[in-house]
Amino acid sequence: MTINLQLQQAFAQHNALKIISGLNNFDRDRVAATVKAATAGGATFVDIAADPDLVRLARHLTPLPICTSAVEPEKLVRAVEAGADLIEIGNFDSFYAQGRRFEADEVLELTGQTRALLPNIALSVTVPHILELDKQVELAQALVEAGADIIQTEGGTSSAPTHAGTLGLVEKAAPTLAAAYSIARAVSVPVLCASGLSDVTAPMAIAAGASGVGVGSAINQLNDEVAMVAAVRRLVEALGTVKRVGAIA
């Protein structure tokens, strides 16, 4: 499936930035604030819950490509009908606190169901961090064969930083960075590194092989729109100063 030209270019340049409002965030005001901050701050695209009303709201607020996330294929169909540009199976983080797990077989099945319903739209699929790293790589390869156009990593919710400051930020990002490094070398599609990232660790994701990063709570949990825009701009600047390293020894 052909990815939006703007996204293609960002992935090719390894500086795509997705700002995530949250798969289970249906608060119109919070979603609107996140979308506006992403737009003003210079993000590449936004990711919102797969709700038709939110898609229409976002379309009114931004010219950026709109990704919608869900774990139910039918919701993705309705979001596409409302104007979403691409879809995401994943952003599983919000489910883990509820004790909800996503195993490889279920993610692969959801991907197949979604592709059957929506064969002509760009599809991103998250690889659950609860899997062992080698199993994440195997699943990513299977997902690409099943029709995934983008693979997203995660892991921020599983990390338990023991230090404050910069070292703590690196510790928090370690699981998703490790996944991005391993998966990027195993698949031919863009890898989006997400979950637990900041302006400190976003460049590390690119150096590890990711084509872009996804950031959610570092933006959407802020209570001031000016601060949200500033946080997005720091991420854009951080991605603009890094050059991808072919391989990290």
Side-chain angles (χ1 to χ4, degrees):
M1 172 50 48
T2 301
I3 300 174
N4 173 284
L5 181 59
Q6 180 180 347
L7 292 182
Q8 282 188 32
Q9 293 173 339
F11 284 136
Q13 296 167 3
H14 295 271
N15 62 6
L17 172 60
K18 178 172 77 168
I19 300 300
I20 305 165
S21 71
L23 178 147
N24 287 320
N25 179 12
F26 297 96
D27 184 317
R28 288 176 60 87
D29 291 339
R30 295 301 301 167
V31 172
T34 301
V35 170
K36 288 190 286 187
T39 307
T44 312
F45 62 127
V46 296
D47 188 330
I48 64 176
D51 175 86
D53 289 338
L54 290 180
V55 173
R56 286 187 283 268
L57 172 66
R59 179 59 67 207
H60 176 71
L61 295 172
T62 185
L64 298 179
I66 298 169
C67 178
T68 59
S69 294
V71 294
E72 300 92 350
E74 296 77 13
K75 288 186 176 181
L76 295 171
V77 172
R78 293 192 291 273
V80 170
E81 291 171 347
D85 298 292
L86 64 159
I87 53 177
E88 162 84 22
I89 298 170
N91 291 331
F92 301 131
D93 283 349
S94 62
F95 292 98
Y96 295 133
Q98 305 169 18
R100 175 78 162 87
R101 291 174 60 91
F102 289 85
E103 303 292 347
D105 289 346
E106 182 178 7
V107 176
L108 195 55
E109 182 179 354
L110 288 171
T111 300
Q113 292 174 358
T114 302
R115 260 294 164 245
L117 291 170
L118 296 165
N120 300 315
I121 189 166
L123 170 63
S124 174
V125 184
T126 297
V127 173
H129 78 269
I130 58 173
L131 303 177
E132 295 295 330
L133 195 53
D134 61 334
K135 298 300 182 183
Q136 291 186 46
V137 172
E138 290 177 7
L139 176 58
Q141 293 171 321
L143 290 171
V144 173
E145 292 180 4
D149 302 294
I150 304 163
I151 296 295
Q152 182 168 294
T153 65
E154 64 173 20
T157 57
S158 71
S159 57
T162 58
H163 296 84
T166 300
L167 182 54
L169 293 174
V170 174
E171 291 173 340
K172 184 173 182 60
T176 196
L177 292 174
Y181 179 90
S182 298
I183 292 172
R185 284 154 179 76
V187 300
S188 58
V189 302
V191 172
L192 194 79
C193 186
S195 183
L197 296 179
S198 66
D199 58 307
V200 171
T201 51
M204 298 179 186
I206 304 304
S211 296
V213 301
V215 179
S217 59
I219 307 298
N220 61 47
Q221 289 185 1
L222 297 173
N223 293 318
D224 178 82
E225 290 192 23
V226 174
M228 294 172 74
V229 172
V232 175
R233 286 179 177 165
R234 286 196 298 272
L235 286 160
V236 171
E237 291 169 0
L239 292 174
T241 59
V242 66
K243 293 185 178 179
R244 180 174 179 265
V245 178
I248 299 175

